[in-house]
Amino acid sequence: MLTPYTAGEQLKDKRYIKLNTNENPYPPSPRLKDLFGAFDESVLKFYPAPDAGVLREQIALCEGVGKENVFCGNGSDEVLFLSFAAFFDGTRPVCFADITYTFYEVYAKFFGVTANVVPLNGDFTVNLSEMAERDCAGYFIANPNAPTGVGIPLNEMERFIASVPEKIVIADEAYMDFYGESCVPLTKKYENLLVVKTFSKSYSLAGIRCGYAVGNAALVRGLFNMKDCMNSYPVDAVCEAVCVQALLDREYHEKTVALVVSERERLRRELLALGFTVPESKANFLFAGRAPVSAREIYLRLKEEGVLVRFWDKPLISDFCRITVGTREETDVLLKKLKKILT
């Protein structure tokens, strides 16, 4: 029996400070207001371009690659799903960390692919040397990792990619804009590398559902082949127009990313002072635990107080909560509630 992925709670019974699903706390680019006012609704009666060509061109410009190196899908989750279908036939395992994005395990079971799981190091870093030695057809590596937030430096990723030339490396960079060590430039050098990104996090567009991949043209063609076997039109006309405008407003994007990074560092200092163990995060969330009060109790009592964080009742991480970085005002409320709980 398949065990589906469990998304973060989306409760509507009262007003919550929502720090459990890693959305950007700031609104998307103000350019979108102008876009919707001028949007030609007549295009909605036609199917969109099946290749999302306009958006792919803009992504290619921003990422410094060719249009033929870009694939777009309905969220990065769909891109990851298609990657399983395109590159892994079940004859050899796929490798990923034991504590990472749980959709990898879900997709492996869905496609009947054996998972070769590598434990994280004691400091929550990904054990790349152990991964390189495992028998597998390829790897899924979330960087920064989820739910820990720990990042892998670009030079370490390159050494790993170069050490496994016959295996595909899928770098899941959903939170990379909060880190700045993207592997995209390496796609010009290594044919076995595919980088997956999303508009959900740093662009504040989780509700629009759009993700993309950058890689060798042959890998991109493989994704297109799988897409056309499942859904020829994954990126709709409104989504494409919204994401293009978001990419064009680089100044606003950099501003909100900087705000999140600054608040992330402040929140980590405060959590450490309260007695939490908090790995250094390179994402827009913190992994906080081993406090005087159990993670389960913190999660439940924060929920009662109107603050949502993420908790997993699973081995190795059941003493931690994942806390999305909110605005400064939201952080202040969170800290006030935490101090109340801890005392």
Side-chain angles (χ1 to χ4, degrees):
M1 177 182 291
L2 292 175
T3 302
Y5 173 77
T6 302
E9 294 171 296
Q10 305 283 354
L11 302 179
K12 303 294 184 182
D13 58 310
K14 63 181 180 181
R15 186 176 182 86
Y16 289 94
I17 291 178
K18 195 166 178 293
L19 305 178
N20 64 329
T21 48
N22 299 343
E23 295 104 336
N24 192 323
Y26 302 99
S29 166
R31 293 177 65 119
L32 301 189
K33 294 180 180 178
D34 297 332
L35 168 67
F36 284 118
F39 190 78
D40 181 6
E41 67 275 8
S42 66
V43 303
L44 298 181
K45 65 182 179 181
F46 302 110
Y47 283 108
D51 68 344
V54 175
L55 178 56
R56 288 172 59 228
E57 286 180 0
Q58 191 59 48
I59 292 171
L61 283 172
C62 292
E63 296 285 9
V65 297
K67 180 180 176 181
E68 70 276 9
N69 302 116
V70 179
F71 173 86
C72 292
N74 186 239
S76 61
D77 288 336
E78 182 181 72
V79 179
L80 294 170
F81 180 91
L82 293 172
S83 297
F84 263 94
F87 308 125
F88 304 104
D89 61 6
T91 58
R92 295 181 66 197
V94 63
C95 183
F96 46 82
D98 62 338
I99 301 173
T100 191
Y101 189 34
T102 53
F103 243 139
Y104 306 153
E105 181 181 3
V106 172
Y107 288 155
K109 290 180 178 178
F110 183 89
F111 286 103
V113 179
T114 301
N116 196 328
V117 178
V118 176
L120 293 184
N121 295 317
D123 60 356
F124 292 116
T125 54
V126 177
N127 193 335
L128 292 179
S129 59
E130 177 68 20
M131 279 190 167
E133 297 175 0
R134 292 295 180 95
D135 173 43
C136 64
Y139 307 88
F140 284 83
I141 301 175
N143 186 28
N145 196 16
T148 64
V150 176
I152 305 170
L154 181 59
N155 61 341
E156 292 184 20
M157 283 295 295
E158 180 167 14
R159 282 197 297 270
F160 173 74
I161 296 161
S163 72
V164 290
E166 302 303 317
K167 303 175 184 179
I168 184 169
V169 178
I170 298 174
D172 184 357
E173 295 188 349
Y175 304 100
M176 181 52 69
D177 287 337
F178 304 104
Y179 184 20
E181 296 268 343
S182 178
C183 284
V184 165
L186 300 181
T187 61
K188 299 178 182 179
K189 187 176 179 181
Y190 300 99
E191 295 182 355
N192 62 323
L193 172 62
L194 187 75
V195 179
V196 179
K197 294 192 174 187
T198 180
F199 287 91
S200 295
K201 310 303 181 183
S202 66
Y203 286 96
S204 306
L205 292 174
I208 205 72
R209 307 308 302 130
C210 190
Y212 63 94
V214 179
N216 178 271
L219 297 180
V220 170
R221 285 197 298 272
L223 292 176
F224 271 108
N225 288 339
M226 288 300 104
K227 172 189 76 71
D228 290 334
C229 291
M230 183 185 76
N231 177 12
S232 294
Y233 307 100
V235 180
D236 65 71
V238 175
C239 174
E240 185 170 15
V242 166
C243 291
V244 167
Q245 291 303 309
L247 288 169
L248 289 171
D249 199 349
R250 288 197 177 191
E251 181 180 356
Y252 181 82
H253 179 246
E254 291 171 0
K255 175 184 174 182
T256 58
V257 167
L259 287 170
V260 170
V261 170
S262 175
E263 193 62 17
R264 178 186 73 198
E265 301 311 306
R266 180 175 87 97
L267 177 56
R268 182 169 186 262
R269 289 193 300 270
E270 296 286 350
L271 291 171
L272 289 170
L274 289 174
F276 286 89
T277 295
V278 190
E280 184 178 2
S281 174
K282 299 298 182 181
N284 68 332
F285 56 84
L286 292 164
F287 197 52
R290 297 173 184 162
V293 176
S294 73
R296 177 191 291 277
E297 184 174 352
I298 289 172
Y299 155 70
L300 291 173
R301 291 184 62 181
L302 282 176
K303 187 175 178 180
E304 291 175 0
E305 296 280 349
V307 179
L308 295 177
V309 297
R310 195 78 193 269
F311 167 75
W312 290 269
D313 190 10
K314 293 183 177 180
L316 304 178
I317 60 173
S318 61
D319 202 24
F320 283 80
C321 289
R322 191 193 66 193
I323 305 171
T324 303
V325 177
T327 63
R328 187 173 186 86
E329 295 74 19
E330 290 172 334
T331 298
D332 288 341
V333 173
L334 168 69
L335 292 171
K336 181 180 178 180
K337 304 294 186 184
L338 282 174
K339 291 173 183 177
K340 177 182 176 182
I341 293 167
L342 294 174
T343 56

